[in-house]
Amino acid sequence: MNQKTYYIEVLLPLYLKALIYSVPTEMRGSLKTGVRVIVPLGNRKIYSGIVVGICENTETGFETRDILGIIDETPVITAPQLELWKWIAGYYMCTLGEVMKAALPAYLKMESRTKVALNRADCSDLPGNAGLDSLDRQIIACLSDGQLSMEDLAKKTGRKNILPNIGKLLDAGIIGIEEELINNYRSKYRSFVSLHPDIDSEEKLGRLLDSLTKSRRQEQLLLKYIELASPLDFVYPLEIPKNELLDKSGVSESVYRSCEEKGILISVKKKIDRLGNTAATLKEQPELSPAQQKAFEELRAADRPALLHGITSSGKTEIYIKLIDAALNEGKQVLYLLPEIALTTQIIERLRAVFGSRMGVYHSSFSDAERTEAYNNLLKFNPRDGSACGDGYPEVSCGEGILGVRSSLLLPFRNLGLIIVDEEHETTYKQYDPAPRYNARDAAVILGRIHGAKVVLGSATPSLESYYNALQGKYDLIRLTERYGKAVLPEIRTIDMKRAFWKKKIVSNFSETLLNAIRSALERKEQIILFQNRRGFSPFVQCADCGHVAKCRYCDVSLTYHKYTGALTCHYCGYSIPMPPKCPSCNSPNIKTRGFGTEKIEDELSLLIPEAKIERLDLDSTKSKYAYQRILSGFEAHAVDILVGTQMITKGLDFGNVSLVGIMDADSLLTFPDFRAYERSFQLMSQVAGRAGRKDRPGEVIIQTTTPENPVIRQVIKYDYDSFFATQLNERRMFNYPPFCRLIVLSIKHSRQDVLNEAGNALKAMLLKTFGKDLAGPEPPPIGRIQNRYILNFRIKLKKNSSINPYKHLINTAFIQLKSEKKYAGIITVADVDPM
């Protein structure tokens, strides 16, 4: 070939590395890194992929396939974004395709859909009609009106498995198939109504109204338009949303069409923002206290990632607002990460009050279309002057700032100046399944380095790793040791539930002390938060006669009873059965609920204190899109007296009228079989305790436990983070756990336990050669079977400062070698770097 050979690396949203394709001559001039292209994969599939590399005259050593087309004129990913993707893929042992799949909204990942069409409708000349059966003829009849997708064809025939028949018809030449690339994203449009341009004066409007005296409904519509458009500007007549005008005027669509035909009103369709970003009445930024101002200046001066260690209610958010304002004024972008969607409801209102629509939102409750628009808005950001490009959104944020959860980290930022990771200790920053299993807190530090952005990690109870990094000088440490407005930390006391039981001072699952405190707070018109880190009514049900416990069919866990639905449900796979009237083992009707969850607390409280208004905040009560907002807004407006919740209520919420916090069962936190159990217990109890007494009234925290002498509980009572840190750090050093080592957990899974055990021994033999005494396992986790797959874990501890990339390569090689044996082909392998 005389001309240059032109190859590109294309990334697909699959468990693959980038693939190499060749480029037809006519397409070469418009190719750029970051644009999407249409490529074939296999014999029939077509995908949209992203160009991540361009090279000329590089011999591949194998035959390549041409790309089929170019989708974009401009890149849909940024260079810093791609750099972060590559770091995540390398560090967390996954493919770049898996990172792409997690990062891109669904509408930007187009995949082909198989279309089926008739080649011939008349089959009478085929020998024996080609052996056609009734389903074959039904398929032909369905296709007689035009081509259909495989999915639509299955629905029309009412048969799930039509592939054998499709194959037979293909072989007979009766049908043909083709692949169509599907892009389901559609911009959202809305009709707006205004006066016809010919009506350009009050005199003309007056004559028009006089002429409509006999057309009462049209007059009614026009008068409502004038009311909504007041004061009416004839030069720039106000555009009113059509559905709003019809709704408020109470007239029909036909009345509107008559007005349009008479030249009274006109309508125009405009692209609108699904995200609901509108201009807001902005408030002044909050005044900082001297302690906050000092912390703000120290953060501004920090030249490394900074850890802001501020006690609960010390006013960290006000400092964040000042930092955001400084970054936006410099024309920089801002990323504000939160661990939970529940927190965005309160925080976004506070940020919007100061910054209006300059701060956008991005989280998992968004629809695919909303995610796509948020993504595209970021792509429109102009890094030269910080302005946003137009496109019909005069009041919409085009990527200046984003408030979101961990997935926001993967968005296409161009010029980040500030990254805030609020509540940096939270385990929800860690992605578990599917890959990439990244920690957003740690990846944020890398993203900050890529952009040269300031990174602030904030928490009242920092993770041991972050606090250790700060003490070692890797991060700057800034402290806030007093509550904002001189608010006093709440008094924490424990109730010994064993002693209370002996003295018969327990009612249901409440100590008399906690119940009396709840009643006293209600009498003072104050609010209460009750924390129980289990959802559902009861963790399990048990036969009182034979001891049988209902268990999941597919997982090694007991089924949780949910009274509201009357079902026993597995919280791992979703398997559910009705509550049995009798024991399935001994046929006894004496079935008892054991333990308690948030649903049971809510139920018992409604009986014990019927006058109280109670709401529950957990995964079950917040399944709808706006459930978080409804519950938290109701509590903030004092429409709710008692909020019962799981760990969702521990994270950064600010309610000024909460005077009492009850921790229902501290023991369940402390006894979890994990080396981080004490750390999480301290964090959860300290955080939920910090919800009390946040304004001018003192707060109270009551911890119900059978082990009040536990050192972690004593440290929580004293707010002694430094003592807790020193104790835990010493234990981690003794047993060589993070932050003194790097930890990798390997999991293998299979539906047959005998095959899994054999594979575990085979994998151990491979790994021992490299890791020796640093390898532990194989051993089953606390829950050894999930979704009908048995699990074995290996734990690898590597030296903190060693390069782990060679070890990761050896692990991947061992996985490939294991699955290359036919008997282990069905084994699922997972590598989790820095597990939480």
Side-chain angles (χ1 to χ4, degrees):
M1 184 182 293
N2 295 327
Q3 62 180 9
K4 291 181 178 179
T5 308
Y6 205 71
Y7 298 106
I8 57 172
E9 291 181 277
V10 179
L11 187 60
L12 301 177
L14 302 169
Y15 182 72
L16 295 169
K17 62 181 181 180
L19 303 179
I20 296 178
Y21 287 86
S22 48
V23 183
T25 305
E26 65 273 13
M27 296 184 189
R28 295 179 184 179
S30 52
L31 264 179
K32 301 174 187 174
T33 300
V35 301
R36 288 176 301 163
V37 292
I38 304 169
V39 297
L41 185 68
N43 293 329
R44 293 176 179 169
K45 278 288 185 182
I46 300 171
Y47 282 88
S48 68
I50 293 180
V51 178
V52 294
I54 299 175
C55 47
E56 295 180 9
N57 289 339
T58 301
E59 290 301 324
T60 62
F62 53 85
E63 185 177 350
T64 58
R65 302 175 72 179
D66 283 352
I67 65 171
L68 303 178
I70 301 171
I71 299 173
D72 309 297
E73 293 182 2
T74 57
V76 297
I77 63 171
T78 64
Q81 184 184 18
L82 181 58
E83 189 175 345
L84 178 69
W85 289 9
K86 289 179 178 178
W87 179 85
I88 288 175
Y91 188 81
Y92 291 103
M93 297 180 65
C94 63
T95 66
L96 198 53
E98 288 173 299
V99 184
M100 172 190 171
K101 187 174 183 179
L104 284 189
Y107 288 156
L108 295 181
K109 297 174 292 192
M110 292 187 286
E111 182 180 346
S112 63
R113 186 171 68 183
T114 301
K115 289 278 191 176
V116 185
L118 283 178
N119 288 338
R120 55 187 298 170
D122 183 10
C123 305
S124 59
D125 61 334
L126 292 172
N129 284 343
L132 301 183
D133 59 25
S134 59
L135 180 55
D136 296 331
R137 298 182 188 281
Q138 190 180 358
I139 290 172
I140 292 169
C142 290
L143 294 172
S144 60
D145 292 330
Q147 64 178 9
L148 290 171
S149 70
M150 294 282 281
E151 294 87 347
D152 292 338
L153 197 53
K155 288 178 183 177
K156 279 185 172 288
T157 58
R159 301 282 286 272
K160 290 184 179 179
N161 187 13
I162 60 172
L163 288 178
N165 300 77
I166 293 293
K168 182 167 64 173
L169 294 173
L170 276 170
D171 292 340
I174 298 171
I175 64 171
I177 64 172
E178 61 182 39
E179 292 295 316
E180 177 187 33
L181 200 64
I182 305 299
N183 181 6
N184 290 316
Y185 175 70
R186 298 290 183 273
S187 296
K188 187 175 182 179
Y189 289 87
R190 193 175 186 184
S191 292
F192 290 85
V193 175
S194 64
L195 277 177
H196 194 284
D198 289 346
I199 306 169
D200 55 5
S201 68
E202 288 188 14
E203 290 78 14
K204 288 184 180 180
L205 182 60
R207 288 196 297 270
L208 177 61
L209 285 168
D210 291 339
S211 70
L212 294 176
T213 53
K214 293 183 180 180
S215 305
R216 294 294 184 187
R217 303 297 282 171
Q218 296 174 27
E219 180 186 39
Q220 182 180 334
L221 179 63
L222 181 57
L223 287 171
K224 180 54 68 174
Y225 170 82
I226 295 169
E227 177 189 332
L228 294 174
S230 182
L232 186 59
D233 186 340
F234 288 99
V235 179
Y236 300 105
L238 186 66
E239 294 175 337
I240 306 295
K242 182 178 176 182
N243 59 345
E244 180 184 342
L245 177 61
L246 294 181
D247 182 57
K248 292 187 176 180
S249 64
V251 304
S252 65
E253 174 74 25
S254 61
V255 174
Y256 170 78
R257 284 199 299 269
S258 297
C259 287
E260 231 181 13
E261 290 167 3
K262 288 183 177 181
I264 299 171
L265 298 171
I266 60 170
S267 67
V268 61
K269 283 189 176 181
K270 288 191 172 185
K271 193 188 327 183
I272 64 167
D273 179 33
R274 284 184 171 92
L275 306 179
N277 292 328
T278 55
T281 302
L282 304 186
K283 297 179 181 178
E284 291 292 326
Q285 289 188 36
E287 281 293 322
L288 299 185
S289 68
Q292 288 175 316
Q293 184 64 34
K294 180 174 181 291
F296 168 71
E297 291 169 359
E298 289 176 346
L299 287 168
R300 288 281 287 166
D303 55 4
R304 291 172 291 192
L307 176 63
L308 178 59
H309 181 199
I311 62 171
T312 55
S313 195
S314 57
K316 294 186 288 295
T317 304
E318 285 75 16
I319 297 174
Y320 298 154
I321 288 172
K322 288 286 188 182
L323 291 169
I324 292 169
D325 182 61
L328 293 179
N329 288 338
E330 293 171 0
K332 301 280 189 177
Q333 291 175 296
V334 173
L335 173 60
Y336 189 148
L337 287 178
L338 291 165
E340 195 81 56
I341 299 172
L343 283 183
T344 62
T345 301
Q346 263 202 343
I347 298 295
I348 194 58
E349 288 177 1
R350 295 174 70 177
L351 295 185
R352 283 275 170 85
V354 177
F355 301 109
S357 58
R358 297 176 76 186
M359 289 296 292
V361 186
Y362 189 88
H363 55 63
S364 57
S365 285
F366 274 10
S367 67
D368 288 334
E370 287 171 326
R371 292 190 200 190
T372 302
E373 290 196 359
Y375 190 99
N376 288 335
N377 285 346
L378 281 167
L379 284 174
K380 296 170 189 172
F381 180 78
N382 185 338
R384 289 169 296 181
D385 58 10
S387 65
C389 303
D391 201 23
Y393 298 125
E395 295 177 344
V396 174
S397 165
C398 281
E400 288 182 89
I402 285 289
L403 172 72
V405 291
R406 64 172 179 259
S407 57
S408 308
L409 193 81
L410 305 174
L411 290 169
F413 295 101
R414 294 182 180 277
N415 190 25
L416 267 177
L418 173 66
I419 303 173
I420 296 168
V421 185
D422 201 7
E423 310 295 347
E424 65 83 31
H425 63 278
E426 282 291 346
T427 57
T428 44
Y429 280 125
K430 173 71 174 178
Q431 165 75 12
Y432 291 99
D433 280 311
R437 296 173 179 84
Y438 66 101
N439 188 315
R441 176 199 64 204
D442 299 338
V445 174
I446 301 301
L447 184 62
R449 186 185 305 163
I450 291 170
H451 281 272
K454 187 176 294 297
V455 179
V456 178
L457 313 178
S459 176
T461 54
S463 62
L464 260 71
E465 287 88 344
S466 292
Y467 201 72
Y468 180 78
N469 284 338
L471 295 183
Q472 294 296 306
K474 188 175 179 180
Y475 299 161
D476 285 323
L477 179 61
I478 291 94
R479 300 177 189 269
L480 269 175
T481 57
E482 62 182 49
R483 282 190 149 192
Y484 183 75
K486 304 299 181 183
V488 180
L489 286 165
E491 177 191 356
I492 304 177
R493 52 181 172 141
T494 58
I495 302 300
D496 188 335
M497 295 299 280
K498 284 189 297 186
R499 181 172 295 181
F501 177 77
W502 295 334
K503 292 184 175 183
K504 298 183 178 180
K505 291 187 175 183
I506 292 180
V507 182
S508 296
N509 292 292
F510 296 85
S511 63
E512 280 189 1
T513 304
L514 180 55
L515 268 180
N516 290 335
I518 291 172
R519 291 190 175 105
S520 296
L522 291 174
E523 288 173 4
R524 299 191 300 268
K525 307 294 184 185
E526 295 169 349
Q527 293 172 293
I528 300 102
I529 287 177
L530 297 179
F531 168 60
Q532 169 65 0
N533 209 29
R534 284 182 183 271
R535 60 189 172 101
F537 189 86
S538 178
F540 65 100
V541 295
Q542 186 176 37
C543 175
D545 292 334
C546 73
H548 172 80
V549 174
K551 292 193 174 181
C552 177
R553 183 177 178 179
Y554 306 105
C555 309
D556 287 342
V557 294
S558 58
L559 295 173
T560 300
Y561 174 51
H562 291 258
K563 186 177 180 181
Y564 179 75
T565 59
L568 297 172
T569 302
C570 174
H571 287 173
Y572 285 84
C573 73
Y575 171 74
S576 184
I577 58 173
M579 178 71 164
K582 295 180 180 180
C583 173
S585 180
C586 71
N587 216 31
S588 167
N590 197 11
I591 296 177
K592 303 292 184 183
T593 60
R594 304 296 188 192
F596 62 97
T598 50
E599 192 181 353
K600 189 171 185 178
I601 295 171
E602 180 187 27
D603 189 66
E604 290 177 342
L605 268 179
S606 64
L607 296 174
L608 293 169
I609 312 176
E611 68 275 14
K613 296 173 184 175
I614 306 164
E615 276 280 11
R616 178 163 48 90
L617 187 70
D618 58 23
L619 195 60
D620 298 318
S621 66
T622 55
K623 289 181 178 178
S624 64
K625 183 172 181 179
Y626 298 107
Y628 290 105
Q629 185 174 347
R630 177 187 61 80
I631 294 169
L632 294 178
S633 297
F635 193 64
E636 192 167 23
H638 301 176
V640 176
D641 300 313
I642 303 173
L643 184 62
V644 181
T646 56
Q647 59 181 322
M648 290 181 182
I649 62 175
T650 69
K651 301 171 184 176
L653 297 171
D654 187 5
F655 300 111
N657 196 44
V658 174
S659 65
L660 174 66
V661 166
I663 298 174
M664 298 297 298
D665 181 17
D667 301 335
S668 63
L669 303 173
L670 295 162
T671 55
F672 192 80
D674 184 81
F675 75 94
R676 284 195 173 94
Y678 275 9
E679 179 182 9
R680 289 175 183 157
S681 301
F682 181 91
Q683 288 165 344
L684 282 169
M685 286 190 279
S686 298
Q687 289 284 344
V688 75
R691 303 312 110 204
R694 295 177 70 87
K695 293 295 186 284
D696 56 352
R697 61 191 74 191
E700 180 183 16
V701 180
I702 295 175
I703 301 175
Q704 295 188 158
T705 175
T706 59
T707 58
E709 71 285 352
N710 186 290
V712 174
I713 292 178
R714 308 315 301 172
Q715 288 159 345
V716 169
I717 290 173
K718 296 176 182 177
Y719 296 97
D720 193 352
Y721 178 85
D722 287 335
S723 173
F724 161 78
F725 173 79
T727 303
Q728 292 303 305
L729 194 70
N730 188 49
E731 289 187 9
R732 300 275 184 95
R733 183 183 288 109
M734 287 172 58
F735 296 103
N736 191 30
Y737 276 107
F740 299 102
C741 75
R742 290 187 182 275
L743 195 60
I744 302 176
V745 171
L746 310 180
S747 300
I748 56 174
K749 307 175 185 181
H750 197 270
S751 57
R752 285 179 52 185
Q753 193 163 22
D754 58 334
V755 173
L756 183 70
N757 290 337
E758 190 179 334
N761 291 329
L763 183 60
K764 181 177 182 178
M766 298 180 208
L767 296 173
L768 273 175
K769 299 173 185 176
T770 301
F771 298 105
K773 62 182 179 62
D774 293 327
L775 175 72
E779 58 187 11
I783 300 171
R785 182 173 64 109
I786 295 176
Q787 295 181 349
N788 221 23
R789 290 194 180 98
Y790 295 92
I791 306 169
L792 286 176
N793 285 346
F794 294 84
R795 192 183 296 266
I796 299 173
K797 296 178 180 178
L798 300 174
K799 291 180 180 178
K800 179 71 175 177
N801 296 320
S802 63
S803 173
I804 64 173
N805 286 331
Y807 296 111
K808 291 176 184 175
H809 176 71
L810 290 168
I811 291 168
N812 282 327
T813 302
F815 279 167
I816 293 169
Q817 185 178 339
L818 178 73
K819 291 192 285 187
S820 66
E821 294 191 39
K822 188 175 181 180
K823 58 183 175 179
Y824 303 140
I827 292 282
I828 295 172
T829 57
V830 173
D832 189 4
V833 180
D834 298 340
M836 293 290 286

